Amino acid sequence: MLSLLRNSLIAAPVLLAGMVMAPAPALADLRVCNQTQSTVSIAFGYRADTGWQSEGWWVAGPEACAIVYQGDLASRYYYLYAVDDLAGGAWDGSVFMCTQDSTFTIFGVEDCLARGYERTGFFEIDTQGRTDWTMQLTENNSTSMDPQ
């Protein structure tokens, strides 16, 4: 019995040390990092279980990031639109979704104007099936990808 107690007392600190030193699970997100000297506003689009959906606005200050989707990325393709709030210009594309000037969550991409929304061109992000992705917005309205 004394041997069992001694072995338990020796094993307990080793077990506790292992629990403290074990790495925390990585958080998977879709981040947009603003590598410019201006503040940018970001809209995000994706195919949800119920159909197409667009959301906005996230704001990223100069040299800052915004998380536009929290959790593991379930789809390969996502869509972004970002606008430079100070100097003008946008990071846009040819995939049209609905937006509006104030905070929004809009279901569907059809008839944006008829439904009272703006029709905005988003650019496609190919996450290559990864669960975590970072998009860098750089000067001259260019983008770069930083898979995690």
Side-chain angles (χ1 to χ4, degrees), residues 13-36:
V14 171
L15 231 123
L16 286 174
M19 290 184 346
V20 170
M21 296 193 171
L27 297 177
D29 299 313
L30 177 65
R31 282 172 300 288
V32 179
C33 294
N34 174 15
Q35 300 299 311
T36 74

PDB file of all heavy atoms in Angstrom, residues 13-36:
ATOM      1  N   PRO A  13       2.735  15.040  -9.771  1.00  0.00           N
ATOM      2  CA  PRO A  13       3.373  16.248 -10.308  1.00  0.00           C
ATOM      3  C   PRO A  13       3.723  16.124 -11.787  1.00  0.00           C
ATOM      4  O   PRO A  13       3.627  17.085 -12.535  1.00  0.00           O
ATOM      5  CB  PRO A  13       4.634  16.401  -9.456  1.00  0.00           C
ATOM      6  CG  PRO A  13       4.362  15.634  -8.207  1.00  0.00           C
ATOM      7  CD  PRO A  13       3.444  14.528  -8.605  1.00  0.00           C
ATOM      8  N   VAL A  14       4.122  14.932 -12.222  1.00  0.00           N
ATOM      9  CA  VAL A  14       4.453  14.736 -13.633  1.00  0.00           C
ATOM     10  C   VAL A  14       3.203  14.926 -14.486  1.00  0.00           C
ATOM     11  O   VAL A  14       3.231  15.576 -15.525  1.00  0.00           O
ATOM     12  CB  VAL A  14       5.075  13.337 -13.851  1.00  0.00           C
ATOM     13  CG1 VAL A  14       5.232  13.018 -15.322  1.00  0.00           C
ATOM     14  CG2 VAL A  14       6.404  13.236 -13.126  1.00  0.00           C
ATOM     15  N   LEU A  15       2.082  14.384 -14.052  1.00  0.00           N
ATOM     16  CA  LEU A  15       0.826  14.535 -14.766  1.00  0.00           C
ATOM     17  C   LEU A  15       0.398  15.994 -14.819  1.00  0.00           C
ATOM     18  O   LEU A  15      -0.022  16.501 -15.857  1.00  0.00           O
ATOM     19  CB  LEU A  15      -0.260  13.703 -14.079  1.00  0.00           C
ATOM     20  CG  LEU A  15      -1.004  12.795 -15.030  1.00  0.00           C
ATOM     21  CD1 LEU A  15      -0.878  11.385 -14.516  1.00  0.00           C
ATOM     22  CD2 LEU A  15      -2.432  13.204 -15.114  1.00  0.00           C
ATOM     23  N   LEU A  16       0.501  16.695 -13.687  1.00  0.00           N
ATOM     24  CA  LEU A  16       0.143  18.117 -13.643  1.00  0.00           C
ATOM     25  C   LEU A  16       1.027  18.938 -14.553  1.00  0.00           C
ATOM     26  O   LEU A  16       0.559  19.826 -15.255  1.00  0.00           O
ATOM     27  CB  LEU A  16       0.208  18.643 -12.209  1.00  0.00           C
ATOM     28  CG  LEU A  16      -0.928  18.211 -11.304  1.00  0.00           C
ATOM     29  CD1 LEU A  16      -0.671  18.669  -9.874  1.00  0.00           C
ATOM     30  CD2 LEU A  16      -2.242  18.739 -11.802  1.00  0.00           C
ATOM     31  N   ALA A  17       2.321  18.660 -14.576  1.00  0.00           N
ATOM     32  CA  ALA A  17       3.239  19.404 -15.447  1.00  0.00           C
ATOM     33  C   ALA A  17       2.864  19.193 -16.904  1.00  0.00           C
ATOM     34  O   ALA A  17       2.876  20.122 -17.706  1.00  0.00           O
ATOM     35  CB  ALA A  17       4.683  18.978 -15.194  1.00  0.00           C
ATOM     36  N   GLY A  18       2.490  17.961 -17.257  1.00  0.00           N
ATOM     37  CA  GLY A  18       2.079  17.675 -18.626  1.00  0.00           C
ATOM     38  C   GLY A  18       0.831  18.438 -19.014  1.00  0.00           C
ATOM     39  O   GLY A  18       0.696  18.916 -20.134  1.00  0.00           O
ATOM     40  N   MET A  19      -0.112  18.575 -18.094  1.00  0.00           N
ATOM     41  CA  MET A  19      -1.346  19.306 -18.400  1.00  0.00           C
ATOM     42  C   MET A  19      -1.077  20.794 -18.560  1.00  0.00           C
ATOM     43  O   MET A  19      -1.649  21.449 -19.408  1.00  0.00           O
ATOM     44  CB  MET A  19      -2.379  19.062 -17.301  1.00  0.00           C
ATOM     45  CG  MET A  19      -2.903  17.647 -17.337  1.00  0.00           C
ATOM     46  SD  MET A  19      -4.218  17.200 -16.177  1.00  0.00           S
ATOM     47  CE  MET A  19      -4.310  18.439 -14.984  1.00  0.00           C
ATOM     48  N   VAL A  20      -0.182  21.345 -17.758  1.00  0.00           N
ATOM     49  CA  VAL A  20       0.128  22.771 -17.836  1.00  0.00           C
ATOM     50  C   VAL A  20       0.891  23.090 -19.107  1.00  0.00           C
ATOM     51  O   VAL A  20       0.686  24.112 -19.739  1.00  0.00           O
ATOM     52  CB  VAL A  20       0.925  23.225 -16.585  1.00  0.00           C
ATOM     53  CG1 VAL A  20       1.461  24.621 -16.748  1.00  0.00           C
ATOM     54  CG2 VAL A  20       0.065  23.100 -15.345  1.00  0.00           C
ATOM     55  N   MET A  21       1.777  22.199 -19.523  1.00  0.00           N
ATOM     56  CA  MET A  21       2.627  22.463 -20.677  1.00  0.00           C
ATOM     57  C   MET A  21       1.993  22.049 -21.999  1.00  0.00           C
ATOM     58  O   MET A  21       2.528  22.331 -23.041  1.00  0.00           O
ATOM     59  CB  MET A  21       3.958  21.765 -20.494  1.00  0.00           C
ATOM     60  CG  MET A  21       4.730  22.295 -19.330  1.00  0.00           C
ATOM     61  SD  MET A  21       6.385  21.706 -19.418  1.00  0.00           S
ATOM     62  CE  MET A  21       7.132  22.655 -18.122  1.00  0.00           C
ATOM     63  N   ALA A  22       0.873  21.362 -21.961  1.00  0.00           N
ATOM     64  CA  ALA A  22       0.220  20.938 -23.197  1.00  0.00           C
ATOM     65  C   ALA A  22      -0.241  22.165 -23.972  1.00  0.00           C
ATOM     66  O   ALA A  22      -0.810  23.084 -23.402  1.00  0.00           O
ATOM     67  CB  ALA A  22      -0.972  20.040 -22.880  1.00  0.00           C
ATOM     68  N   PRO A  23       0.028  22.200 -25.284  1.00  0.00           N
ATOM     69  CA  PRO A  23      -0.376  23.369 -26.062  1.00  0.00           C
ATOM     70  C   PRO A  23      -1.890  23.484 -26.144  1.00  0.00           C
ATOM     71  O   PRO A  23      -2.595  22.478 -26.217  1.00  0.00           O
ATOM     72  CB  PRO A  23       0.226  23.112 -27.446  1.00  0.00           C
ATOM     73  CG  PRO A  23       0.437  21.636 -27.503  1.00  0.00           C
ATOM     74  CD  PRO A  23       0.665  21.174 -26.090  1.00  0.00           C
ATOM     75  N   ALA A  24      -2.365  24.722 -26.121  1.00  0.00           N
ATOM     76  CA  ALA A  24      -3.798  24.975 -26.276  1.00  0.00           C
ATOM     77  C   ALA A  24      -4.176  24.711 -27.726  1.00  0.00           C
ATOM     78  O   ALA A  24      -3.367  24.906 -28.625  1.00  0.00           O
ATOM     79  CB  ALA A  24      -4.107  26.417 -25.907  1.00  0.00           C
ATOM     80  N   PRO A  25      -5.394  24.256 -27.984  1.00  0.00           N
ATOM     81  CA  PRO A  25      -5.799  24.030 -29.367  1.00  0.00           C
ATOM     82  C   PRO A  25      -5.792  25.356 -30.137  1.00  0.00           C
ATOM     83  O   PRO A  25      -6.154  26.394 -29.613  1.00  0.00           O
ATOM     84  CB  PRO A  25      -7.218  23.465 -29.244  1.00  0.00           C
ATOM     85  CG  PRO A  25      -7.680  23.830 -27.876  1.00  0.00           C
ATOM     86  CD  PRO A  25      -6.455  23.988 -27.031  1.00  0.00           C
ATOM     87  N   ALA A  26      -5.346  25.274 -31.382  1.00  0.00           N
ATOM     88  CA  ALA A  26      -5.283  26.472 -32.216  1.00  0.00           C
ATOM     89  C   ALA A  26      -6.693  26.924 -32.584  1.00  0.00           C
ATOM     90  O   ALA A  26      -7.566  26.110 -32.845  1.00  0.00           O
ATOM     91  CB  ALA A  26      -4.486  26.176 -33.482  1.00  0.00           C
ATOM     92  N   LEU A  27      -6.887  28.214 -32.573  1.00  0.00           N
ATOM     93  CA  LEU A  27      -8.168  28.766 -32.997  1.00  0.00           C
ATOM     94  C   LEU A  27      -8.106  29.009 -34.495  1.00  0.00           C
ATOM     95  O   LEU A  27      -7.207  29.672 -34.986  1.00  0.00           O
ATOM     96  CB  LEU A  27      -8.452  30.074 -32.258  1.00  0.00           C
ATOM     97  CG  LEU A  27      -8.602  29.953 -30.748  1.00  0.00           C
ATOM     98  CD1 LEU A  27      -8.794  31.319 -30.120  1.00  0.00           C
ATOM     99  CD2 LEU A  27      -9.758  29.040 -30.391  1.00  0.00           C
ATOM    100  N   ALA A  28      -9.038  28.472 -35.211  1.00  0.00           N
ATOM    101  CA  ALA A  28      -9.078  28.635 -36.657  1.00  0.00           C
ATOM    102  C   ALA A  28     -10.059  29.746 -36.993  1.00  0.00           C
ATOM    103  O   ALA A  28     -11.168  29.763 -36.486  1.00  0.00           O
ATOM    104  CB  ALA A  28      -9.488  27.332 -37.317  1.00  0.00           C
ATOM    105  N   ASP A  29      -9.631  30.668 -37.828  1.00  0.00           N
ATOM    106  CA  ASP A  29     -10.442  31.821 -38.193  1.00  0.00           C
ATOM    107  C   ASP A  29     -10.102  32.246 -39.611  1.00  0.00           C
ATOM    108  O   ASP A  29      -9.119  31.809 -40.183  1.00  0.00           O
ATOM    109  CB  ASP A  29     -10.142  33.015 -37.269  1.00  0.00           C
ATOM    110  CG  ASP A  29     -10.439  32.739 -35.806  1.00  0.00           C
ATOM    111  OD1 ASP A  29     -11.520  32.209 -35.521  1.00  0.00           O
ATOM    112  OD2 ASP A  29      -9.588  33.059 -34.971  1.00  0.00           O
ATOM    113  N   LEU A  30     -10.908  33.161 -40.135  1.00  0.00           N
ATOM    114  CA  LEU A  30     -10.556  33.884 -41.353  1.00  0.00           C
ATOM    115  C   LEU A  30     -10.266  35.314 -40.920  1.00  0.00           C
ATOM    116  O   LEU A  30     -11.155  36.006 -40.419  1.00  0.00           O
ATOM    117  CB  LEU A  30     -11.694  33.862 -42.380  1.00  0.00           C
ATOM    118  CG  LEU A  30     -11.415  34.654 -43.657  1.00  0.00           C
ATOM    119  CD1 LEU A  30     -10.262  34.039 -44.448  1.00  0.00           C
ATOM    120  CD2 LEU A  30     -12.643  34.702 -44.537  1.00  0.00           C
ATOM    121  N   ARG A  31      -9.004  35.705 -41.036  1.00  0.00           N
ATOM    122  CA  ARG A  31      -8.546  37.035 -40.644  1.00  0.00           C
ATOM    123  C   ARG A  31      -8.222  37.866 -41.881  1.00  0.00           C
ATOM    124  O   ARG A  31      -7.699  37.349 -42.857  1.00  0.00           O
ATOM    125  CB  ARG A  31      -7.263  36.942 -39.803  1.00  0.00           C
ATOM    126  CG  ARG A  31      -7.474  36.547 -38.381  1.00  0.00           C
ATOM    127  CD  ARG A  31      -6.153  36.292 -37.662  1.00  0.00           C
ATOM    128  NE  ARG A  31      -5.380  35.221 -38.280  1.00  0.00           N
ATOM    129  CZ  ARG A  31      -5.696  33.936 -38.219  1.00  0.00           C
ATOM    130  NH1 ARG A  31      -6.751  33.541 -37.567  1.00  0.00           N
ATOM    131  NH2 ARG A  31      -4.949  33.047 -38.808  1.00  0.00           N
ATOM    132  N   VAL A  32      -8.515  39.148 -41.796  1.00  0.00           N
ATOM    133  CA  VAL A  32      -8.124  40.089 -42.840  1.00  0.00           C
ATOM    134  C   VAL A  32      -7.226  41.113 -42.174  1.00  0.00           C
ATOM    135  O   VAL A  32      -7.633  41.782 -41.225  1.00  0.00           O
ATOM    136  CB  VAL A  32      -9.348  40.772 -43.483  1.00  0.00           C
ATOM    137  CG1 VAL A  32      -8.901  41.754 -44.542  1.00  0.00           C
ATOM    138  CG2 VAL A  32     -10.297  39.734 -44.068  1.00  0.00           C
ATOM    139  N   CYS A  33      -5.987  41.201 -42.666  1.00  0.00           N
ATOM    140  CA  CYS A  33      -5.014  42.121 -42.084  1.00  0.00           C
ATOM    141  C   CYS A  33      -4.783  43.286 -43.029  1.00  0.00           C
ATOM    142  O   CYS A  33      -4.528  43.098 -44.219  1.00  0.00           O
ATOM    143  CB  CYS A  33      -3.707  41.401 -41.784  1.00  0.00           C
ATOM    144  SG  CYS A  33      -3.892  40.154 -40.492  1.00  0.00           S
ATOM    145  N   ASN A  34      -4.875  44.468 -42.485  1.00  0.00           N
ATOM    146  CA  ASN A  34      -4.723  45.701 -43.234  1.00  0.00           C
ATOM    147  C   ASN A  34      -3.270  46.155 -43.147  1.00  0.00           C
ATOM    148  O   ASN A  34      -2.821  46.617 -42.108  1.00  0.00           O
ATOM    149  CB  ASN A  34      -5.663  46.758 -42.633  1.00  0.00           C
ATOM    150  CG  ASN A  34      -5.475  48.119 -43.248  1.00  0.00           C
ATOM    151  OD1 ASN A  34      -4.867  48.262 -44.298  1.00  0.00           O
ATOM    152  ND2 ASN A  34      -5.997  49.137 -42.584  1.00  0.00           N
ATOM    153  N   GLN A  35      -2.531  46.032 -44.232  1.00  0.00           N
ATOM    154  CA  GLN A  35      -1.120  46.416 -44.263  1.00  0.00           C
ATOM    155  C   GLN A  35      -0.924  47.826 -44.825  1.00  0.00           C
ATOM    156  O   GLN A  35       0.156  48.165 -45.279  1.00  0.00           O
ATOM    157  CB  GLN A  35      -0.330  45.397 -45.092  1.00  0.00           C
ATOM    158  CG  GLN A  35      -0.411  43.985 -44.552  1.00  0.00           C
ATOM    159  CD  GLN A  35       0.163  43.880 -43.156  1.00  0.00           C
ATOM    160  OE1 GLN A  35       1.266  44.342 -42.877  1.00  0.00           O
ATOM    161  NE2 GLN A  35      -0.581  43.275 -42.248  1.00  0.00           N
ATOM    162  N   THR A  36      -1.976  48.639 -44.796  1.00  0.00           N
ATOM    163  CA  THR A  36      -1.884  50.010 -45.304  1.00  0.00           C
ATOM    164  C   THR A  36      -1.865  50.990 -44.133  1.00  0.00           C
ATOM    165  O   THR A  36      -1.996  50.603 -42.981  1.00  0.00           O
ATOM    166  CB  THR A  36      -3.080  50.346 -46.217  1.00  0.00           C
ATOM    167  OG1 THR A  36      -4.247  50.545 -45.417  1.00  0.00           O
ATOM    168  CG2 THR A  36      -3.333  49.245 -47.250  1.00  0.00           C
TER     169      THR A  36
END
